[in-house]
Amino acid sequence: MKEIRVALAGNPNAGKSSLFNALTGAHQRVGNFSGVTIEKHEGYLDYRECRITVVDLPGIYSLTPYSPEEIVTRRYIIDERPNVVVNVVEGTNLERNLLLTVQLMEMEVDLLVALNMIDEVEQKGISIDIDQLEKLLGSHIVPTSARQRKGLDDLLDHIISVSDGRIEIRKNKMTFSPQVEKAVESIAGLLGHERDLSKANHRWLAIKLLENDREIYSQVQKYPVWVKVELAIQEAISECGLLQGTDPEVLITEDRHAFVRGAMQECVRQPRVSRATPSEKIDMVVLNRVLGLPIFFFVVWAIFQLTFTLGAPLMDALEYAFALLSDTVAPHLPNPVLRSIFVDGVISGVGSVVVFLPNIVLLFMGLSFLEASGYMARAAFVIDKVMHRFGLHGKSFIPMITGFGCSIPAIMATRTLKSRSDRLATIMTIPFMSCGAKLPVYVLLTGAFFPPTMAANVMFGIYLLGIVMGLWTAWILKSTVLKSESEPFVMELPPYRWPTFTSVILQARMKAVMYLKKAGTLILGAVMVIWASSNYPHSRALEAELARETVRIELSPVAQEQKEQALRHLQASMESRQLEYSLAGRSGKLLEPLIRPLGFDWRIGISLVTGLAAKEVVVSTLGTIFSIGHAEEQSGLSAILRSDPGFSRATALSLMVFVLLYIPCVAAMGVMKKEVGSWKPVLLYSGYVLLVAWVASFITYRLALLFA
Amino acid sequence: MKLSELKAGDRAEVTSVLAEPAVRRRLMDMGLVRGTELEVLRFAPLGDPIEIRYKGLLLTMRLNEAEGITVNKLASAEVCTDGGGGIRRRHRFGRGA
Ligand SMILES: Nc1nc2c(ncn2[C@@H]2O[C@H](COP(=O)(O)OP(=O)(O)O)[C@@H](O)[C@H]2O)c(=O)[nH]1
């Protein structure tokens, strides 16, 4: 079977991913372009004895080296040499889309133009003279509608013909204005003399050099011919400055615009549009001075509800299913060690990875709906001013808010941010947003130490503290290490469109698979390490004591009921003493001198260690360990904590602050590592949050003692 | 005057785009070159960013980016009524090149 490699390139919102989905269906996978965290969607289909591999390149407006997306696209086209480049253009917004087409023409690739959204073009009564446009561009144009799956076969036929050479792509050259053209020719001529550059596209290099393209600069600077080239560039700059009052970069861009505008005038007839398009009418409400913010908050609230309120029962169901699985498997494993490894380690480890799936799937269904419908850009527009205060981008808001539910999908959602520094800063604010798993800790402690009237205020204060610290962190990051590379906020508001059901589903599925494959293994490993360290080493002495005591109770001359109760108490106290003996327990003791100033003893230390597996584990560990000696009273954990001499209201406050701020759970760390790309920033960050948590808890504790 | 100084509803023609290279490039790639006619649609509810319309496309940018764009404010009479569809403005094409 013949193999054909196709790359899809085009503006954001031109319908590339819709076309990609329509072409490849379920045969697709997501990877990353080497070295950057830009998703690379690759898929294939078989058509007429050909295996056609399709790569969906990131959406771009231009081929400059200013954004990673543009660099990736350029490198892919130059280095990987796809057989055909399909430029997806939005038929309803041709003028802007063709600007990219012109730049792809300059690269002299085997180009096909997919004139997408042809359904909308027809509906709006826009007439496009395709034959004439083909003549001007030199490439074939295939009308398609990715949504209605129209023109797909035609596109595929063209792809095959182009790769066979049966369709010739006339590599038309756009002529620039005289000064530029002269410079391009002379520089291209100079480059032609350089033997090592003999295979390169000299004209393209020359254009890029005149456009002040730093990537190409560093590429050409290596060669001896550079001396002459540099002179020619300088000359062109001064000549353009003199004659046109601007530099070659501007002139080249303007020439492209002029070419496209000319093509538009020749080939496109648009009916006189009424003043406001439907999108503009919607915007009059949605972006309204008064209603804009309330609508924005409502949408955010709705997404949050969708993810977490709808997700909660699913999460419970999954948890239940895993518990059921443990119960069914356990009796079949007679060996207690094996049983413990399998049931408490593996099954609950896998369970702890899988429980997040409902949230991830629901959130990304919601987010991809917002993105594809066109609202996401508007949301960023509405809230950008606030976020910008802290050095963040308008698009940071939604991931941040999602952090109140769970950091994992929230961190994954930062992919909507284009610039790396914005993404990093946003990722690092997310763990400060009190996630759902921290709530049980707050509920337990406020319930135990504060009257109901104050509990809510305390909790609110904790949430607020998280937000303040998060934004503060973002601000610090953006004004120090991440200062340089902020993305300019120049953003198109795409017209509103109904997203297609399949693309929403595919998006969510993709994220779920990515989470399971990429972060799942890491999380599983870490959860198991924490599990092992809270179970091992086993104390032989305790085991012997357990056996001895069990026999003693069994033989004691009391009623069956009392025996059972005594056995339960024995079991509980053994469990907590085993935990104390384990690695986690010992590290708790080891930590004690460090956390003493915060009002914590080693028992709290242990729960902080096990809490790394998941924050709600803090509660269950406290339950296990504080029940030592309390077993008789049958009272709840909050009563036990209240009566414990090592636990005061100040301790409770300090512990809440610490749990709020200290290292995120391993699952979040795993996802963070995947999104950031390396461990170093994650570890630095962990050090930072530990420090912040320590200081904040210390202050809280001391103040609370003062006012107590 | 600067784009950032216009008010909602104002129409203007771009006379130059002067910003740091990455921003300037982005603006030009979005079609904001000399001679482009635009209309200020609105400001975000909090006053920043700004939204403009030109060539049938809606663009938003922060005010500090809009400061880099100098414009000539147009009186409403001078302007085509179709909001920048631009097809009939043949005379604008070519820039005398
Ligand atoms: N009417 C219509 N809408 C489309 C077509 N192709 C894509 N869309 C819609 O346009 C929006 C953007 O499409 P998407 O594939 O996400 O664009 P991308 O950013 O280029 O990947 C989505 O809401 C799609 O449903 C089409 O051929 N016709």
Side-chain angles (χ1 to χ4, degrees):
Chain A
M1 199 145 56
K2 191 172 178 252
E3 299 231 1
I4 302 176
R5 285 182 310 115
V6 177
L8 301 184
N11 285 175
N13 289 305
K16 275 184 313 87
S17 41
S18 304
L19 191 62
F20 176 75
N21 289 336
L23 287 176
T24 61
H27 299 291
Q28 43 176 275
R29 62 197 174 89
V30 205
N32 274 354
F33 287 99
S34 55
V36 282
T37 43
I38 296 178
E39 282 170 29
K40 176 182 182 183
H41 296 251
E42 206 166 6
Y44 68 87
L45 75 157
D46 293 328
Y47 184 80
R48 304 224 165 143
E49 309 291 299
C50 293
R51 155 106 0 146
I52 302 181
T53 315
V54 187
V55 173
D56 188 9
L57 296 172
I60 50 169
Y61 290 109
S62 175
L63 286 169
T64 55
Y66 284 115
S67 79
E69 284 80 11
E70 294 171 348
I71 297 176
V72 158
T73 304
R74 246 162 64 160
R75 292 221 179 113
Y76 188 85
I77 292 175
I78 294 173
D79 299 342
E80 311 277 325
R81 299 229 141 266
N83 302 99
V84 184
V85 176
V86 174
N87 176 207
V88 184
V89 300
E90 190 182 340
T92 44
N93 200 345
L94 256 189
E95 181 156 355
R96 201 214 38 234
N97 278 255
L98 286 181
L99 281 173
L100 181 67
T101 313
V102 173
Q103 296 184 53
L104 287 167
M105 280 163 57
E106 287 165 9
M107 291 184 81
E108 299 188 0
V109 288
D110 283 329
L111 190 69
L112 258 182
V113 176
L115 182 61
N116 196 33
M117 307 209 182
I118 200 71
D119 54 318
E120 276 191 24
V121 170
E122 284 163 4
Q123 188 203 328
K124 287 190 176 164
I126 303 170
S127 74
I128 302 174
D129 183 347
I130 293 183
D131 292 335
Q132 182 58 22
L133 198 55
E134 280 183 346
K135 277 202 197 98
L136 288 172
L137 300 179
S139 302
H140 278 242
I141 299 174
V142 186
T144 60
S145 166
R147 164 168 309 177
Q148 300 179 347
R149 309 184 59 90
K150 277 200 283 200
L152 300 184
D153 285 353
D154 198 12
L155 181 66
L156 290 169
D157 288 332
H158 272 81
I159 288 174
I160 293 176
S161 306
V162 169
S163 75
D164 284 350
R166 269 183 287 140
I167 294 182
E168 193 210 345
I169 309 294
R170 272 175 286 111
K171 306 214 159 126
N172 283 12
K173 292 192 179 42
M174 197 193 101
T175 328
F176 293 100
S177 47
Q179 296 86 23
V180 176
E181 193 59 38
K182 201 177 92 194
V184 167
E185 269 162 24
S186 81
I187 294 173
L190 288 171
L191 293 173
H193 294 311
E194 183 62 55
R195 208 156 24 91
D196 291 336
L197 284 171
S198 60
K199 282 216 199 70
N201 175 350
H202 303 130
R203 187 176 162 88
W204 186 70
L205 290 179
I207 295 170
K208 288 289 143 186
L209 286 171
L210 286 170
E211 279 191 288
N212 208 0
D213 188 313
R214 49 186 149 76
E215 277 238 321
I216 306 297
Y217 262 72
S218 53
Q219 193 184 328
V220 179
Q221 261 162 350
K222 295 196 290 259
Y223 302 106
V225 75
W226 173 248
V227 190
K228 287 185 197 161
V229 171
E230 198 178 17
L231 269 179
I233 297 172
Q234 289 307 333
E235 199 179 313
I237 290 177
S238 58
E239 191 169 332
C240 292
L242 216 61
L243 293 172
Q244 298 278 353
T246 184
D247 51 281
E249 189 184 350
V250 172
L251 283 180
I252 289 174
T253 315
E254 287 180 353
D255 286 339
R256 289 190 190 122
H257 279 272
F259 176 82
V260 168
R261 173 143 283 212
M264 289 292 290
Q265 283 172 336
E266 247 180 275
C267 310
V268 182
R269 285 287 165 269
Q270 237 151 349
R272 230 169 193 283
V273 279
S274 60
R275 286 296 298 274
T277 62
S279 282
E280 288 172 16
K281 281 188 198 134
I282 299 176
D283 277 344
M284 279 176 200
V285 179
V286 166
L287 300 183
N288 183 285
R289 273 243 139 135
V290 183
L291 293 176
L293 278 169
I295 290 177
F296 167 79
F297 284 115
F298 173 77
V299 170
V300 171
W301 175 85
I303 288 282
F304 197 85
Q305 290 292 323
L306 168 77
T307 309
F308 298 108
T309 312
L310 214 67
L314 295 173
M315 218 165 162
D316 291 345
L318 276 178
E319 260 166 13
Y320 179 75
F322 273 93
L324 209 66
L325 185 66
S326 302
D327 289 348
T328 20
V329 171
H332 299 289
L333 295 165
N335 184 330
V337 180
L338 206 66
R339 184 167 61 215
S340 171
I341 291 180
F342 212 76
V343 173
D344 301 326
V346 178
I347 296 186
S348 70
V350 172
S352 66
V353 172
V354 174
V355 284
F356 293 116
L357 271 184
N359 285 344
I360 291 179
V361 168
L362 287 169
L363 175 71
F364 283 99
M365 276 168 56
L367 290 187
S368 75
F369 181 88
L370 286 192
E371 189 92 56
S373 68
Y375 185 73
M376 195 66 111
R378 276 133 180 123
F381 172 69
V382 167
I383 202 67
D384 181 69
K385 183 163 185 198
V386 180
M387 304 313 286
H388 192 51
R389 277 271 158 81
F390 303 99
L392 295 170
H393 190 277
K395 285 186 183 165
S396 309
F397 192 84
I398 290 189
M400 258 173 68
I401 288 294
T402 314
F404 284 116
C406 175
S407 299
I408 291 154
I411 292 173
M412 290 169 73
T414 57
R415 291 220 172 171
T416 49
L417 288 157
K418 296 279 176 261
S419 112
R420 181 173 158 80
S421 91
D422 287 344
R423 280 191 63 203
L424 275 177
T426 310
I427 286 175
M428 303 205 156
T429 50
I430 287 170
F432 289 100
M433 307 296 125
S434 257
C435 73
K438 292 174 187 169
L439 191 60
V441 182
Y442 307 152
V443 170
L444 171 72
L445 294 175
T446 50
F449 291 94
F450 293 92
T453 43
M454 263 187 52
N457 290 342
V458 171
M459 231 185 282
F460 182 73
I462 293 283
Y463 273 78
L464 207 62
L465 178 70
I467 298 172
V468 170
M469 297 306 287
L471 290 177
W472 184 67
T473 303
W475 182 78
I476 298 249
L477 282 172
K478 288 295 271 191
S479 42
T480 55
V481 279
L482 298 177
K483 191 168 185 175
S484 53
E485 21 158 357
S486 230
E487 195 198 354
F489 189 96
V490 176
M491 192 179 58
E492 188 191 351
L493 300 185
Y496 288 103
R497 290 202 172 89
W498 276 111
T500 52
F501 184 70
T502 37
S503 70
V504 169
I505 296 294
L506 277 175
Q507 261 282 333
R509 195 192 74 161
M510 208 97 75
K511 290 285 174 186
V513 171
M514 194 155 72
Y515 165 72
L516 286 181
K517 270 217 295 231
K518 295 273 175 90
T521 42
L522 204 73
I523 297 169
L524 182 60
V527 169
M528 285 178 56
V529 166
I530 291 177
W531 164 79
S533 67
S534 39
N535 280 278
Y536 290 92
H538 260 306
S539 160
R540 295 234 177 267
L542 276 178
E543 257 168 47
E545 192 184 330
L546 177 67
R548 222 171 33 242
E549 287 292 300
T550 314
V551 174
R552 195 182 59 79
I553 293 172
E554 293 283 358
L555 294 178
S556 60
V558 288
Q560 187 64 25
E561 238 172 75
Q562 273 172 307
K563 269 188 196 171
E564 270 171 22
Q565 203 186 349
L567 279 176
R568 263 204 309 279
H569 291 167
L570 176 68
Q571 191 70 34
S573 101
M574 284 301 158
E575 263 174 33
S576 58
R577 281 165 66 191
Q578 167 58 38
L579 181 56
E580 183 182 347
Y581 184 80
S582 73
L583 219 58
R586 291 178 208 186
S587 55
K589 288 205 165 149
L590 213 64
L591 283 177
E592 197 176 68
L594 282 177
I595 55 180
R596 196 68 266 179
L598 313 180
F600 305 160
D601 59 14
W602 61 270
R603 294 173 299 179
I604 297 181
I606 294 178
S607 33
L608 291 176
V609 173
T610 56
L612 290 178
K615 291 296 162 78
E616 69 264 30
V617 173
V618 171
V619 173
S620 56
T621 307
L622 285 175
T624 309
I625 203 140
F626 272 83
S627 57
I628 308 177
H630 287 280
E632 316 298 316
E633 294 138 37
Q634 288 284 319
S635 46
L637 181 54
S638 43
I640 294 175
L641 291 182
R642 236 189 336 261
S643 62
D644 195 284
F647 229 109
S648 65
R649 191 181 263 195
T651 316
L653 276 176
S654 164
L655 181 57
M656 281 191 275
V657 170
F658 200 83
V659 168
L660 164 73
L661 300 174
Y662 90 119
I663 309 183
C665 68
V666 288
M669 299 266 281
V671 173
M672 209 184 235
K673 145 83 179 38
K674 284 299 163 201
E675 293 296 315
V676 169
S678 67
W679 275 114
K680 200 177 145 211
V682 178
L683 293 178
L684 281 176
Y685 178 69
S686 308
Y688 164 78
V689 288
L690 265 181
L691 188 73
V692 169
W694 198 94
V695 172
S697 292
F698 183 79
I699 296 173
T700 311
Y701 186 59
R702 296 295 142 182
L703 284 180
L705 282 185
L706 266 183
F707 290 105
Chain B
M1 77 195 297
K2 292 171 181 164
L3 174 56
S4 54
E5 292 161 359
L6 294 180
K7 282 192 283 297
D10 283 352
R11 291 162 172 277
E13 177 177 331
V14 177
T15 51
S16 75
V17 181
L18 301 162
E20 53 145 320
V23 180
R24 183 177 80 154
R25 191 63 226 210
R26 177 69 82 87
L27 292 169
M28 292 197 305
D29 287 337
M30 302 298 294
L32 274 183
V33 289
R34 290 188 290 182
T36 308
E37 276 173 25
L38 57 85
E39 180 188 352
V40 177
L41 284 187
R42 62 171 66 78
F43 294 82
L46 299 170
D48 186 11
I50 180 176
E51 181 189 352
I52 59 174
R53 172 176 60 188
Y54 59 96
K55 296 179 186 166
L57 135 109
L58 309 172
L59 191 76
T60 62
M61 69 185 89
R62 290 195 184 126
L63 290 182
N64 58 359
E65 274 129 17
E67 265 178 29
I69 301 175
T70 45
V71 293
N72 248 342
K73 196 170 157 188
L74 302 174
S76 22
E78 272 181 57
V79 179
C80 293
T81 45
D82 69 346
I87 289 166
R88 281 170 307 289
R89 281 178 305 204
R90 210 169 273 269
H91 62 279
R92 300 219 65 83
F93 171 55
R95 246 190 37 256

